[in-house]
Amino acid sequence: MLPRRRLGQTDMELTTLSFGASSIGQEFRSVDLGESLQAVRVALESGMNFIDTAAFYGRGMSEMMLGRVLPDFPRDQYYLGTKLGRYTGEHFDFSARRVTESIDTSLERMKVDHLDIVLCHDLEFVEMSQIVEETIPAIRREIEKGKVRYVGVSGYPMKMFKYVMENTDIDCLLTYNHYTLQNDMALDLVPLAKEKGVGLMNGAPFSARLLTNAELPPWHKATPEVRQVAAAAAKHCADRGSDIAKIALQFSIANENFATCIPGSANPKRVAQWVEWAQEPIDEILVAEVKEILKPIHNWFYIEGRPENNDEPVAS
C-alpha cells in the first residue's frame, strides 16, 4: 500500500508515487498504444491515486489516451490534473479565453466532468505577470463553475515559483528535475510554500534519464561533465548490485515536504517496478555514496524559457 500525504491545504491526500502521463503522449519516443493504455491501468490498479498530464503532451494525445482508460475506473478512485497555456513547442496562450477553451477540451478528451488540479504550464516562457493578473483569475472562475477544484503552476526555474507565490494565491505547484539525487534546489521553495499553504509536487526524479542506465535522449541539455559524473554514479550503483534509478526514485519519494513524486512511462512493467521500489527500504549508505560522486555537478541546471525568468547560476 502506497502511503498518502496531504497536498498543502487542499482536501487531497495523494499517494507518494503518482503517474506522469507525458510518455503515453509519445512526448519522448514512439510508444506502443496498447502498452501505453496498460501502463495507466497498472498505475491505477497498483494504488496510485493521482495522474498528471497536459494539453501539450503529444499535442492532446496524452489526454485522449487517458480518455480511453479513465471511464473504466470510478471517478472517486483517482485525482486528475492537467496543464494549460503551452500547446506546442513554441505556442503559448495564457489568455482568459483560452483558459476556458482548454479546460473544456481537456474534460472532453479525458471523458470526465471535473479536473482536480489545473496548472499553468511552463510559464518561464512568457511574461509572468500575465499568469498572476489574467490566467489564474480565469482558472478561479472555472473553479466557481465546478469544472476545476484547485489551481497551481508548473515549470523549471525556482525563480518563477517564488514570483507567483509572492504575488497571488495558488493551491499547489509542480516542480521537476529539482528534487533529485543531483539537484535539490526545490528545497528553497519549502519555507515559502509552507507560509503560503501551497502544496508541493515533485516530478522527474530521474532527471530525464540522467539518473538511470538508459542512454540520454538527443535533446537532453546535460554537459559532457554532467553526463560523465552521472554515468560514474550509475556504474557505482551497478557495482554494488543496485540500480541508480531505484535509489533516485526512493530518494525523491522520501522527503515529506513533497506530497507526491511523479515519474512517467508508457511501459507497464516499468510502472509496476516503480511501485515495488517505492515500498522497499532505501539503502542510505548507497545514497550517501552516490551523492558524494555527484558532488561536482550538485545543483547543475540549464536555462529554460526566458533568461530573465531563470535562476542565477551557482558559483563554481
Side-chain angles (χ1 to χ4, degrees):
M1 183 72 69
L2 293 167
R4 301 188 181 199
R5 296 179 187 143
R6 181 63 59 92
L7 179 64
Q9 295 182 344
T10 74
D11 65 356
M12 296 168 57
E13 290 197 349
L14 305 184
T15 46
T16 52
L17 184 65
S18 296
F19 182 75
S22 55
S23 293
I24 67 169
Q26 295 196 143
E27 195 59 36
F28 307 110
R29 64 176 177 87
S30 295
V31 299
D32 180 273
L33 299 186
E35 283 195 352
S36 296
L37 297 174
Q38 184 61 17
V40 182
R41 295 184 185 278
V42 168
L44 291 171
E45 291 168 356
S46 298
M48 295 187 202
N49 75 347
F50 178 57
I51 297 174
D52 168 71
T53 187
F56 171 66
Y57 297 154
R59 317 310 170 256
M61 179 178 172
S62 174
E63 292 184 333
M64 293 289 287
M65 294 285 282
L66 289 171
R68 294 279 303 276
V69 177
L70 295 182
D72 295 339
F73 291 84
R75 185 62 182 87
D76 61 0
Q77 182 179 327
Y78 62 89
Y79 298 115
L80 181 61
T82 194
K83 309 180 190 73
L84 54 74
R86 185 174 196 176
Y87 299 101
T88 71
E90 303 296 330
H91 178 211
F92 295 84
D93 186 348
F94 287 97
S95 67
R97 176 178 176 177
R98 192 61 191 270
V99 164
T100 302
E101 294 172 348
S102 191
I103 289 171
D104 286 345
T105 300
S106 293
L107 290 170
E108 184 174 340
R109 285 172 177 162
M110 293 188 282
K111 297 181 172 60
V112 293
D113 62 2
H114 72 278
L115 299 162
D116 295 288
I117 298 174
V118 167
L119 303 176
C120 303
H121 196 185
D122 291 349
L123 51 156
E124 64 266 24
F125 285 85
V126 300
E127 172 52 55
M128 289 190 292
S129 61
Q130 182 188 19
I131 308 300
V132 168
E133 296 166 7
E134 182 178 1
T135 315
I136 291 176
I139 298 173
R140 291 280 180 204
R141 290 192 288 275
E142 298 305 303
I143 291 176
E144 293 171 1
K145 298 175 186 176
K147 296 179 181 180
V148 180
R149 299 181 66 220
Y150 298 108
V151 60
V153 295
S154 68
Y156 186 69
M158 300 299 96
K159 181 178 179 180
M160 61 93 183
F161 288 124
K162 294 173 183 175
Y163 172 87
V164 171
M165 284 193 285
E166 288 168 351
N167 287 279
T168 192
D169 292 327
I170 57 172
D171 302 305
C172 56
L173 64 82
L174 171 57
T175 174
Y176 70 93
N177 287 1
H178 276 99
Y179 188 72
T180 71
L181 286 169
Q182 178 268 324
N183 184 319
D184 59 11
M185 291 171 66
L187 293 177
D188 290 343
L189 301 175
V190 172
L192 184 58
K194 286 186 175 180
E195 176 190 335
K196 301 288 188 179
V198 175
L200 299 178
M201 299 180 287
N202 174 45
F206 311 118
S207 193
R209 303 185 204 169
L210 184 67
L211 301 174
T212 72
N213 291 300
E215 184 178 352
L216 290 187
W219 46 260
H220 204 292
K221 295 183 179 181
T223 66
E225 180 193 13
V226 170
R227 292 167 186 257
Q228 182 179 5
V229 173
K235 182 179 185 302
H236 179 76
C237 290
D239 291 344
R240 290 283 305 275
S242 188
D243 186 328
I244 192 170
K246 177 178 179 177
I247 65 165
L249 183 71
Q250 293 175 329
F251 174 82
S252 291
I253 289 174
N255 193 313
E256 294 185 359
N257 288 304
F258 300 92
T260 192
C261 177
I262 311 173
S265 177
N267 182 334
K269 293 181 181 178
R270 185 76 67 201
V271 175
Q273 184 179 53
W274 291 340
V275 175
E276 292 178 6
W277 285 350
Q279 298 176 91
E280 294 177 7
I282 189 170
D283 186 338
E284 298 286 3
I285 294 175
L286 183 56
V287 168
E289 292 170 352
V290 167
K291 290 183 77 174
E292 186 65 28
I293 294 170
L294 294 172
K295 261 188 179 179
I297 61 170
H298 179 243
N299 284 356
W300 167 84
F301 66 92
Y302 51 89
I303 301 300
E304 192 77 354
R306 295 187 178 188
E308 66 269 22
N309 291 340
N310 277 258
D311 304 308
E312 294 296 325
V314 179
S316 57

